[in-house]
Amino acid sequence: MSKITETEVVRILSDLISIKSVNENEIEVCNYLKELLDKHGITAKIIKLSETRANLVAEIGNNGPVLGISGHMDVVSEGDVSKWQYDPYKLTEVEGKLYGRGTADMKSGLAALVISMINIHETGTLTYGRIRLLATAGEEIVGEGAKAFQSQGYMDDICGLIIAEPSEDRIIYAHKGSMDIRVTSKGKAAHSSMPNLGYNAITPLIDFVYNANDGFKKFNQSNPLLGPPIMNATIFKGGNQVNSLPEYAETEFNIRTIPEHVNHQFVSYFNSILQQIETEQTQITIDTYMSRPPVFTTGNNSLVHHAQSFAMKYLNTSLEAQASPGVTDASDLLVDKDENFPFIMFGPGNVSQAHQVNEHVEKSIYLAFVALFTEMLPTYLKSLN
Ligand SMILES: [Zn+2]
């Protein structure tokens, strides 16, 4: 019974990076993790979302409070591969840095959680409580993995949650929500010299964007931690020939929400904008295809304090606890938890590396987080006894 060696810790990350789980194919990551956990006597369960997508759950400990540890298994696309210095799907070590898609966001964090769970199990250091690994699919799109875990009851008995997203330089305990809304407009094509024979799909959509932006000022509250809500029309498309009336146009909005102005208010708001501009000729539809609520906790809890003191011990640094604008699976996992719930986002890698070309994590930081979680998780649970 011994801890996983440093060589193996790096090899596990290397194996994970070589699985191309670009918003898809998480089932291969599940299969890999299940086999790894099995080898160390931990039973894991794969919960399918589709033929190629799945969540994985595993638990150690027999009774007492349950600490949730979570990471997503998907990564974003590598983008223009010619801009990468190294193969994005082959872990490459150069001068103490480990390069590859997902090294920061967040296969190093996921690996550190899984390995620490194995270490804790192998060395028998969990004397009180349980640790539940929740590995999710689809975090980078709409969070269907987290939504599934939550609705299936896996969060019901959880007393604290750690998400190991890249956050080696700060401990995050609250973040904004996010929404993506597509508004489409149908018209009728006609030659632009005879517009009365058709209907221009762009025209009402311009009014929609204008009215939506103009009315947004009524969302004037600001959260003390998270700041004001934010809304931007980020895509506008329509038409394909300069002398034809466009028969189709669409626009998309991204909205960052706060507890004072929550997601469903914006659904109602968009419907009210539609009513303002609808005529007999307009054919406008609104599709809220992504909606993840804000996460608001106070950060006044011993999980945050434990993370700070173990950061001092293993990372040799004093980390601030902060709120962040980014979204995590906590949005969906914590929908029914209150502001006193202990939640932290804390893991290897720097958030500035996420989704970047030449993404990397410091090898020493990755190794440090394995040691950090291995000691911190059982220590935190023991403190609750
Ligand atoms: Zn991430």
Side-chain angles (χ1 to χ4, degrees):
M1 297 297 199
S2 59
K3 291 181 185 173
I4 291 183
T5 63
E6 283 194 1
T7 313
E8 209 188 333
V9 168
V10 175
R11 192 182 54 75
I12 289 167
L13 181 58
S14 167
D15 290 343
L16 289 173
I17 297 299
S18 70
I19 301 172
K20 199 173 172 183
S21 52
V22 180
N23 299 327
E24 194 28 280
N25 207 27
E26 292 92 340
I27 198 142
E28 270 193 56
V29 182
C30 288
N31 291 336
Y32 176 84
L33 293 178
K34 183 173 162 54
E35 198 180 315
L36 176 67
L37 288 159
D38 271 349
K39 214 169 73 182
H40 293 276
I42 301 170
T43 310
K45 186 169 143 192
I46 295 173
I47 304 163
K48 276 194 172 186
L49 303 170
S50 75
E51 276 313 300
T52 53
R53 317 200 68 175
N55 282 339
L56 175 132
V57 60
E59 191 171 308
I60 58 171
N62 299 316
N63 48 49
V66 188
L67 176 63
I69 56 174
S70 183
H72 61 83
M73 297 178 283
D74 55 326
V75 294
V76 295
S77 161
E78 68 280 14
D80 181 355
V81 77
S82 71
K83 291 189 175 148
W84 283 74
Q85 248 181 306
Y86 315 104
D87 181 348
Y89 298 103
K90 185 176 180 296
L91 190 75
T92 306
E93 181 178 348
V94 180
E95 290 169 357
K97 293 182 172 70
L98 301 170
Y99 289 84
R101 171 54 86 227
T103 46
D105 186 14
M106 59 163 289
K107 284 177 169 170
S108 62
L110 177 64
L113 292 174
V114 171
I115 294 164
S116 66
M117 192 176 188
I118 291 169
N119 286 343
I120 292 161
H121 185 67
E122 288 281 7
T123 55
T125 51
L126 186 62
T127 55
Y128 181 70
R130 290 171 280 169
I131 297 169
R132 184 177 300 155
L133 171 70
L134 301 162
T136 62
E139 192 276 340
E140 298 288 5
I141 320 174
V142 301
E144 64 260 52
K147 289 183 204 302
F149 268 140
Q150 205 281 333
S151 67
Q152 290 159 357
Y154 285 97
M155 288 302 297
D156 291 358
D157 54 354
I158 293 271
C159 73
L161 178 69
I162 300 171
I163 295 186
E165 290 269 15
S167 189
E168 65 187 34
D169 57 347
R170 70 201 75 178
I171 294 158
I172 302 298
Y173 58 91
H175 62 69
K176 282 182 174 170
S178 187
M179 300 175 81
D180 291 332
I181 303 179
R182 184 183 298 119
V183 185
T184 56
S185 169
K186 278 190 187 156
K188 188 169 180 291
H191 195 278
S192 56
S193 62
M194 296 173 283
N196 52 321
L197 299 179
Y199 180 69
N200 189 330
I202 291 178
T203 308
L205 212 54
I206 293 171
D207 292 341
F208 193 104
V209 173
Y210 181 84
N211 286 14
N213 283 339
D214 191 48
F216 182 70
K217 53 181 173 279
K218 76 174 182 183
F219 297 95
N220 57 4
Q221 292 186 65
S222 184
N223 183 274
L225 278 178
L226 301 172
I230 293 168
M231 183 184 82
N232 277 293
T234 46
I235 294 175
F236 198 100
K237 295 191 282 211
N240 50 25
Q241 195 175 312
V242 72
N243 59 353
S244 286
L245 291 195
E247 58 183 352
Y248 179 82
E250 66 176 49
T251 181
E252 293 193 30
F253 291 82
N254 179 258
I255 305 173
R256 300 291 166 151
T257 58
I258 59 171
E260 291 79 0
H261 295 301
V262 293
N263 298 38
H264 70 80
Q265 284 181 267
F266 290 98
V267 173
S268 312
Y269 177 60
F270 271 55
N271 286 329
S272 73
I273 300 296
L274 176 58
Q275 282 171 9
Q276 290 168 19
I277 60 159
E278 251 179 342
T279 66
E280 273 174 16
Q281 285 181 298
T282 54
Q283 282 188 68
I284 291 177
T285 49
I286 299 169
D287 178 19
T288 304
Y289 65 91
M290 191 276 281
S291 180
R292 311 198 75 183
V295 171
F296 183 77
T297 74
T298 63
N300 292 324
N301 57 68
S302 83
L303 183 59
V304 171
H305 302 146
H306 271 78
Q308 284 174 322
S309 75
F310 281 93
M312 185 56 87
K313 177 170 176 182
Y314 285 96
L315 308 174
N316 199 23
T317 173
S318 152
L319 295 188
E320 256 183 71
Q322 295 178 354
S324 132
V327 175
T328 71
D329 273 335
S331 282
D332 293 294
L333 293 172
L334 302 184
V335 280
D336 59 2
K337 308 297 185 203
D338 68 17
E339 65 180 37
N340 297 314
F341 186 86
F343 158 66
I344 55 169
M345 166 179 146
F346 183 42
N350 203 300
V351 75
S352 65
Q353 282 299 316
H355 305 194
Q356 299 299 310
V357 160
N358 297 323
E359 179 179 352
H360 61 266
V361 66
E362 297 284 339
K363 180 180 169 183
S364 61
I365 297 275
Y366 168 49
L367 294 173
F369 266 93
V370 171
L372 184 157
F373 287 142
T374 298
E375 188 181 352
M376 178 182 138
L377 307 186
T379 307
Y380 171 69
L381 279 163
K382 199 174 171 187
S383 77
L384 303 177
N385 196 350

CSV table of all heavy atoms in Angstrom, one decimal, residues 176-181 183 207-219 228-235 251-258 261 263 265-267 269-270 273:
chain,number,residue,atom,x,y,z
A,176,LYS,N,-19.9,34.5,-11.4
A,176,LYS,CA,-21.1,34.8,-12.1
A,176,LYS,C,-21.7,33.6,-12.8
A,176,LYS,O,-21.0,32.6,-13.0
A,176,LYS,CB,-20.8,35.9,-13.2
A,176,LYS,CG,-20.6,37.3,-12.6
A,176,LYS,CD,-20.4,38.4,-13.6
A,176,LYS,CE,-20.4,39.7,-13.0
A,176,LYS,NZ,-19.9,40.8,-13.9
A,177,GLY,N,-23.0,33.8,-13.2
A,177,GLY,CA,-23.6,32.8,-14.1
A,177,GLY,C,-23.4,33.2,-15.6
A,177,GLY,O,-22.8,34.3,-15.8
A,178,SER,N,-23.8,32.4,-16.5
A,178,SER,CA,-23.7,32.7,-17.9
A,178,SER,C,-24.8,32.2,-18.7
A,178,SER,O,-25.4,31.1,-18.3
A,178,SER,CB,-22.4,32.1,-18.4
A,178,SER,OG,-22.1,32.5,-19.7
A,179,MET,N,-25.2,32.9,-19.7
A,179,MET,CA,-26.3,32.5,-20.7
A,179,MET,C,-25.9,32.8,-22.1
A,179,MET,O,-25.3,33.8,-22.4
A,179,MET,CB,-27.5,33.2,-20.4
A,179,MET,CG,-28.1,33.1,-19.0
A,179,MET,SD,-29.5,34.2,-18.8
A,179,MET,CE,-30.8,33.2,-19.6
A,180,ASP,N,-26.2,31.8,-23.0
A,180,ASP,CA,-26.1,32.1,-24.4
A,180,ASP,C,-27.5,32.0,-25.0
A,180,ASP,O,-28.2,31.1,-24.8
A,180,ASP,CB,-25.2,31.1,-25.1
A,180,ASP,CG,-23.7,31.2,-24.7
A,180,ASP,OD1,-23.3,32.3,-24.3
A,180,ASP,OD2,-23.0,30.2,-24.7
A,181,ILE,N,-27.9,33.1,-25.7
A,181,ILE,CA,-29.2,33.2,-26.3
A,181,ILE,C,-29.1,33.5,-27.8
A,181,ILE,O,-28.4,34.5,-28.2
A,181,ILE,CB,-30.1,34.3,-25.6
A,181,ILE,CG1,-30.1,34.0,-24.1
A,181,ILE,CG2,-31.5,34.3,-26.2
A,181,ILE,CD1,-31.0,35.0,-23.3
A,183,VAL,N,-31.1,34.6,-31.2
A,183,VAL,CA,-32.4,35.1,-31.7
A,183,VAL,C,-32.3,35.0,-33.2
A,183,VAL,O,-31.4,35.6,-33.8
A,183,VAL,CB,-32.6,36.6,-31.2
A,183,VAL,CG1,-33.9,37.1,-31.7
A,183,VAL,CG2,-32.4,36.7,-29.7
A,207,ASP,N,-33.7,46.1,-34.6
A,207,ASP,CA,-34.5,46.6,-33.6
A,207,ASP,C,-34.4,45.8,-32.3
A,207,ASP,O,-34.4,46.4,-31.2
A,207,ASP,CB,-36.0,46.7,-34.0
A,207,ASP,CG,-36.2,47.7,-35.2
A,207,ASP,OD1,-35.3,48.6,-35.4
A,207,ASP,OD2,-37.2,47.6,-35.9
A,208,PHE,N,-34.3,44.5,-32.5
A,208,PHE,CA,-34.3,43.6,-31.3
A,208,PHE,C,-33.0,43.9,-30.5
A,208,PHE,O,-33.0,44.2,-29.3
A,208,PHE,CB,-34.3,42.2,-31.7
A,208,PHE,CG,-34.5,41.2,-30.6
A,208,PHE,CD1,-35.7,40.6,-30.4
A,208,PHE,CD2,-33.5,40.9,-29.7
A,208,PHE,CE1,-36.0,39.8,-29.3
A,208,PHE,CE2,-33.7,40.1,-28.6
A,208,PHE,CZ,-34.9,39.5,-28.4
A,209,VAL,N,-31.9,44.0,-31.2
A,209,VAL,CA,-30.6,44.2,-30.5
A,209,VAL,C,-30.6,45.6,-29.9
A,209,VAL,O,-30.2,45.8,-28.7
A,209,VAL,CB,-29.4,44.1,-31.5
A,209,VAL,CG1,-28.1,44.5,-30.8
A,209,VAL,CG2,-29.3,42.6,-32.0
A,210,TYR,N,-31.1,46.6,-30.7
A,210,TYR,CA,-31.2,48.0,-30.1
A,210,TYR,C,-32.0,48.0,-28.9
A,210,TYR,O,-31.6,48.6,-27.8
A,210,TYR,CB,-31.7,48.9,-31.2
A,210,TYR,CG,-31.7,50.3,-30.7
A,210,TYR,CD1,-30.6,51.2,-30.8
A,210,TYR,CD2,-32.9,50.9,-30.1
A,210,TYR,CE1,-30.6,52.4,-30.2
A,210,TYR,CE2,-32.9,52.1,-29.6
A,210,TYR,CZ,-31.8,52.9,-29.6
A,210,TYR,OH,-31.8,54.2,-29.1
A,211,ASN,N,-33.2,47.5,-28.9
A,211,ASN,CA,-34.1,47.5,-27.7
A,211,ASN,C,-33.5,46.8,-26.6
A,211,ASN,O,-33.7,47.2,-25.4
A,211,ASN,CB,-35.5,47.0,-28.1
A,211,ASN,CG,-36.3,48.0,-29.0
A,211,ASN,OD1,-35.7,48.9,-29.5
A,211,ASN,ND2,-37.6,47.7,-29.1
A,212,ALA,N,-32.9,45.6,-26.9
A,212,ALA,CA,-32.4,44.8,-25.8
A,212,ALA,C,-31.2,45.5,-25.1
A,212,ALA,O,-31.2,45.6,-23.8
A,212,ALA,CB,-31.9,43.5,-26.3
A,213,ASN,N,-30.4,46.2,-25.8
A,213,ASN,CA,-29.3,46.9,-25.3
A,213,ASN,C,-29.8,48.1,-24.5
A,213,ASN,O,-29.3,48.5,-23.4
A,213,ASN,CB,-28.3,47.4,-26.3
A,213,ASN,CG,-27.4,46.3,-26.8
A,213,ASN,OD1,-27.2,45.3,-26.2
A,213,ASN,ND2,-26.9,46.5,-28.0
A,214,ASP,N,-30.8,48.8,-25.1
A,214,ASP,CA,-31.3,50.0,-24.5
A,214,ASP,C,-32.0,49.7,-23.1
A,214,ASP,O,-31.8,50.4,-22.1
A,214,ASP,CB,-32.3,50.6,-25.4
A,214,ASP,CG,-32.7,52.0,-25.0
A,214,ASP,OD1,-31.8,52.8,-24.6
A,214,ASP,OD2,-33.9,52.3,-24.9
A,215,GLY,N,-32.8,48.6,-23.1
A,215,GLY,CA,-33.5,48.3,-21.9
A,215,GLY,C,-32.7,47.6,-20.8
A,215,GLY,O,-33.1,47.5,-19.6
A,216,PHE,N,-31.5,47.2,-21.2
A,216,PHE,CA,-30.6,46.5,-20.2
A,216,PHE,C,-30.3,47.3,-19.0
A,216,PHE,O,-30.0,46.8,-17.9
A,216,PHE,CB,-29.3,46.0,-20.9
A,216,PHE,CG,-28.4,45.2,-20.1
A,216,PHE,CD1,-28.7,44.0,-19.7
A,216,PHE,CD2,-27.2,45.8,-19.7
A,216,PHE,CE1,-27.9,43.2,-18.8
A,216,PHE,CE2,-26.3,45.0,-18.9
A,216,PHE,CZ,-26.7,43.8,-18.5
A,217,LYS,N,-30.3,48.7,-19.2
A,217,LYS,CA,-29.9,49.5,-18.0
A,217,LYS,C,-30.8,49.4,-16.8
A,217,LYS,O,-30.5,49.7,-15.7
A,217,LYS,CB,-29.8,51.0,-18.5
A,217,LYS,CG,-31.0,51.6,-19.2
A,217,LYS,CD,-30.7,53.1,-19.5
A,217,LYS,CE,-31.8,53.7,-20.4
A,217,LYS,NZ,-31.7,53.3,-21.8
A,218,LYS,N,-32.0,48.8,-17.0
A,218,LYS,CA,-32.9,48.5,-15.8
A,218,LYS,C,-32.3,47.4,-14.9
A,218,LYS,O,-32.7,47.3,-13.7
A,218,LYS,CB,-34.3,48.2,-16.2
A,218,LYS,CG,-34.5,46.8,-16.8
A,218,LYS,CD,-36.0,46.5,-17.0
A,218,LYS,CE,-36.2,45.1,-17.5
A,218,LYS,NZ,-37.5,44.7,-17.8
A,219,PHE,N,-31.4,46.6,-15.4
A,219,PHE,CA,-30.7,45.6,-14.6
A,219,PHE,C,-29.6,46.3,-13.8
A,219,PHE,O,-28.4,46.1,-14.1
A,219,PHE,CB,-30.2,44.4,-15.4
A,219,PHE,CG,-31.3,43.7,-16.1
A,219,PHE,CD1,-31.7,44.0,-17.4
A,219,PHE,CD2,-32.1,42.7,-15.4
A,219,PHE,CE1,-32.7,43.3,-18.0
A,219,PHE,CE2,-33.1,42.0,-16.0
A,219,PHE,CZ,-33.4,42.3,-17.3
A,228,PRO,N,-21.7,44.0,-11.5
A,228,PRO,CA,-23.0,44.1,-12.2
A,228,PRO,C,-23.1,43.0,-13.2
A,228,PRO,O,-22.2,42.3,-13.6
A,228,PRO,CB,-22.8,45.4,-13.0
A,228,PRO,CG,-21.4,45.6,-13.2
A,228,PRO,CD,-20.7,44.9,-12.0
A,229,PRO,N,-24.4,42.7,-13.7
A,229,PRO,CA,-24.5,41.8,-14.8
A,229,PRO,C,-24.0,42.4,-16.1
A,229,PRO,O,-23.8,43.6,-16.1
A,229,PRO,CB,-26.1,41.6,-14.9
A,229,PRO,CG,-26.6,42.9,-14.3
A,229,PRO,CD,-25.6,43.4,-13.3
A,230,ILE,N,-23.7,41.5,-17.0
A,230,ILE,CA,-23.1,42.0,-18.3
A,230,ILE,C,-23.9,41.3,-19.4
A,230,ILE,O,-24.2,40.2,-19.3
A,230,ILE,CB,-21.6,41.6,-18.4
A,230,ILE,CG1,-20.8,42.4,-17.3
A,230,ILE,CG2,-21.1,41.9,-19.8
A,230,ILE,CD1,-19.4,41.9,-17.1
A,231,MET,N,-24.2,42.1,-20.4
A,231,MET,CA,-24.8,41.5,-21.6
A,231,MET,C,-24.2,42.1,-22.9
A,231,MET,O,-24.0,43.3,-23.0
A,231,MET,CB,-26.3,41.9,-21.6
A,231,MET,CG,-27.1,41.2,-22.8
A,231,MET,SD,-28.8,41.7,-22.9
A,231,MET,CE,-28.6,43.3,-23.7
A,232,ASN,N,-23.9,41.2,-23.8
A,232,ASN,CA,-23.3,41.6,-25.1
A,232,ASN,C,-23.9,40.8,-26.2
A,232,ASN,O,-24.0,39.6,-26.2
A,232,ASN,CB,-21.8,41.4,-25.1
A,232,ASN,CG,-21.1,42.6,-24.5
A,232,ASN,OD1,-21.1,43.7,-25.0
A,232,ASN,ND2,-20.5,42.3,-23.3
A,233,ALA,N,-24.3,41.5,-27.3
A,233,ALA,CA,-24.6,40.9,-28.6
A,233,ALA,C,-23.3,40.6,-29.2
A,233,ALA,O,-22.5,41.5,-29.5
A,233,ALA,CB,-25.5,41.7,-29.5
A,234,THR,N,-22.9,39.3,-29.4
A,234,THR,CA,-21.6,39.0,-29.8
A,234,THR,C,-21.5,38.4,-31.2
A,234,THR,O,-20.4,38.3,-31.8
A,234,THR,CB,-20.9,38.0,-28.8
A,234,THR,OG1,-21.9,37.0,-28.6
A,234,THR,CG2,-20.6,38.6,-27.5
A,235,ILE,N,-22.7,38.1,-31.8
A,235,ILE,CA,-22.7,37.6,-33.2
A,235,ILE,C,-23.9,38.2,-33.9
A,235,ILE,O,-25.0,38.4,-33.3
A,235,ILE,CB,-22.9,36.0,-33.2
A,235,ILE,CG1,-21.7,35.3,-32.6
A,235,ILE,CG2,-23.2,35.5,-34.6
A,235,ILE,CD1,-21.8,33.8,-32.4
A,251,THR,N,-28.8,36.6,-34.4
A,251,THR,CA,-27.9,37.3,-33.5
A,251,THR,C,-27.8,36.4,-32.3
A,251,THR,O,-28.7,35.7,-31.9
A,251,THR,CB,-28.3,38.7,-33.2
A,251,THR,OG1,-27.4,39.3,-32.3
A,251,THR,CG2,-29.7,38.7,-32.5
A,252,GLU,N,-26.6,36.5,-31.6
A,252,GLU,CA,-26.5,35.8,-30.3
A,252,GLU,C,-26.0,36.7,-29.2
A,252,GLU,O,-25.2,37.6,-29.5
A,252,GLU,CB,-25.5,34.6,-30.5
A,252,GLU,CG,-26.0,33.6,-31.4
A,252,GLU,CD,-25.2,32.3,-31.4
A,252,GLU,OE1,-24.6,32.0,-30.3
A,252,GLU,OE2,-25.1,31.6,-32.4
A,253,PHE,N,-26.5,36.5,-28.1
A,253,PHE,CA,-26.1,37.3,-26.9
A,253,PHE,C,-25.4,36.4,-25.9
A,253,PHE,O,-25.8,35.2,-25.7
A,253,PHE,CB,-27.3,37.9,-26.2
A,253,PHE,CG,-28.0,38.9,-27.0
A,253,PHE,CD1,-28.9,38.6,-28.0
A,253,PHE,CD2,-27.8,40.3,-26.7
A,253,PHE,CE1,-29.6,39.6,-28.7
A,253,PHE,CE2,-28.5,41.3,-27.4
A,253,PHE,CZ,-29.4,40.9,-28.4
A,254,ASN,N,-24.4,36.9,-25.2
A,254,ASN,CA,-23.9,36.3,-24.0
A,254,ASN,C,-24.2,37.2,-22.8
A,254,ASN,O,-23.9,38.4,-22.9
A,254,ASN,CB,-22.4,36.0,-24.1
A,254,ASN,CG,-21.9,35.3,-22.8
A,254,ASN,OD1,-21.2,36.0,-22.0
A,254,ASN,ND2,-22.2,34.0,-22.6
A,255,ILE,N,-24.7,36.6,-21.8
A,255,ILE,CA,-25.1,37.4,-20.6
A,255,ILE,C,-24.4,36.8,-19.4
A,255,ILE,O,-24.3,35.6,-19.2
A,255,ILE,CB,-26.6,37.3,-20.4
A,255,ILE,CG1,-27.3,37.8,-21.6
A,255,ILE,CG2,-27.0,38.2,-19.2
A,255,ILE,CD1,-28.8,37.7,-21.6
A,256,ARG,N,-23.8,37.6,-18.5
A,256,ARG,CA,-23.2,37.2,-17.3
A,256,ARG,C,-24.1,37.6,-16.1
A,256,ARG,O,-24.3,38.8,-15.9
A,256,ARG,CB,-21.8,37.8,-17.1
A,256,ARG,CG,-20.9,37.3,-18.3
A,256,ARG,CD,-20.5,35.9,-18.2
A,256,ARG,NE,-19.9,35.4,-19.4
A,256,ARG,CZ,-19.1,34.3,-19.5
A,256,ARG,NH1,-18.7,33.7,-18.4
A,256,ARG,NH2,-18.6,33.9,-20.6
A,257,THR,N,-24.6,36.6,-15.4
A,257,THR,CA,-25.6,36.9,-14.4
A,257,THR,C,-25.1,36.9,-13.0
A,257,THR,O,-24.0,36.4,-12.7
A,257,THR,CB,-26.8,35.9,-14.5
A,257,THR,OG1,-26.2,34.6,-14.3
A,257,THR,CG2,-27.4,35.9,-15.9
A,258,ILE,N,-25.9,37.5,-12.1
A,258,ILE,CA,-25.6,37.7,-10.7
A,258,ILE,C,-26.8,37.3,-9.9
A,258,ILE,O,-27.9,37.2,-10.4
A,258,ILE,CB,-25.1,39.1,-10.3
A,258,ILE,CG1,-26.2,40.1,-10.6
A,258,ILE,CG2,-23.8,39.4,-11.0
A,258,ILE,CD1,-25.9,41.5,-10.1
A,261,HIS,N,-29.8,39.5,-10.4
A,261,HIS,CA,-30.4,39.5,-11.7
A,261,HIS,C,-30.1,38.1,-12.3
A,261,HIS,O,-29.1,37.9,-13.0
A,261,HIS,CB,-29.8,40.6,-12.6
A,261,HIS,CG,-30.1,42.0,-12.1
A,261,HIS,ND1,-31.4,42.4,-12.0
A,261,HIS,CD2,-29.3,43.0,-11.8
A,261,HIS,CE1,-31.4,43.7,-11.6
A,261,HIS,NE2,-30.1,44.1,-11.4
A,263,ASN,N,-30.8,34.2,-14.1
A,263,ASN,CA,-30.9,33.8,-15.5
A,263,ASN,C,-32.4,33.9,-16.0
A,263,ASN,O,-32.6,34.4,-17.1
A,263,ASN,CB,-30.4,32.4,-15.7
A,263,ASN,CG,-28.9,32.3,-15.4
A,263,ASN,OD1,-28.4,32.9,-14.4
A,263,ASN,ND2,-28.2,31.5,-16.1
A,265,GLN,N,-34.7,35.8,-15.3
A,265,GLN,CA,-35.2,37.2,-15.5
A,265,GLN,C,-34.9,37.6,-17.0
A,265,GLN,O,-35.6,38.4,-17.6
A,265,GLN,CB,-34.5,38.2,-14.6
A,265,GLN,CG,-35.0,38.1,-13.2
A,265,GLN,CD,-34.3,39.1,-12.3
A,265,GLN,OE1,-33.3,38.8,-11.7
A,265,GLN,NE2,-34.7,40.4,-12.3
A,266,PHE,N,-33.7,37.1,-17.5
A,266,PHE,CA,-33.3,37.5,-18.8
A,266,PHE,C,-34.1,36.8,-19.9
A,266,PHE,O,-34.3,37.3,-21.0
A,266,PHE,CB,-31.8,37.3,-19.0
A,266,PHE,CG,-31.0,38.3,-18.2
A,266,PHE,CD1,-30.5,38.0,-17.0
A,266,PHE,CD2,-30.9,39.6,-18.7
A,266,PHE,CE1,-29.8,38.9,-16.2
A,266,PHE,CE2,-30.1,40.5,-17.9
A,266,PHE,CZ,-29.6,40.2,-16.7
A,267,VAL,N,-34.6,35.6,-19.5
A,267,VAL,CA,-35.5,34.9,-20.5
A,267,VAL,C,-36.8,35.7,-20.6
A,267,VAL,O,-37.2,36.0,-21.7
A,267,VAL,CB,-35.8,33.4,-19.9
A,267,VAL,CG1,-36.9,32.8,-20.8
A,267,VAL,CG2,-34.6,32.6,-19.9
A,269,TYR,N,-37.1,38.9,-20.0
A,269,TYR,CA,-36.7,40.1,-20.6
A,269,TYR,C,-36.7,40.0,-22.1
A,269,TYR,O,-37.2,40.8,-22.9
A,269,TYR,CB,-35.3,40.6,-20.1
A,269,TYR,CG,-34.8,41.8,-20.7
A,269,TYR,CD1,-35.5,43.0,-20.6
A,269,TYR,CD2,-33.6,41.8,-21.4
A,269,TYR,CE1,-35.0,44.2,-21.2
A,269,TYR,CE2,-33.1,43.0,-22.0
A,269,TYR,CZ,-33.8,44.1,-21.9
A,269,TYR,OH,-33.3,45.3,-22.5
A,270,PHE,N,-36.1,38.9,-22.6
A,270,PHE,CA,-36.0,38.7,-24.1
A,270,PHE,C,-37.4,38.5,-24.7
A,270,PHE,O,-37.6,39.0,-25.8
A,270,PHE,CB,-35.0,37.6,-24.4
A,270,PHE,CG,-33.6,38.0,-24.6
A,270,PHE,CD1,-33.0,38.7,-23.6
A,270,PHE,CD2,-32.9,37.8,-25.8
A,270,PHE,CE1,-31.7,39.2,-23.7
A,270,PHE,CE2,-31.6,38.2,-25.9
A,270,PHE,CZ,-31.0,38.9,-24.9
A,273,ILE,N,-38.8,42.0,-25.1
A,273,ILE,CA,-38.3,42.7,-26.2
A,273,ILE,C,-39.0,42.2,-27.5
A,273,ILE,O,-39.3,43.0,-28.4
A,273,ILE,CB,-36.8,42.5,-26.3
A,273,ILE,CG1,-36.0,43.0,-25.1
A,273,ILE,CG2,-36.2,43.1,-27.6
A,273,ILE,CD1,-36.1,44.4,-24.8
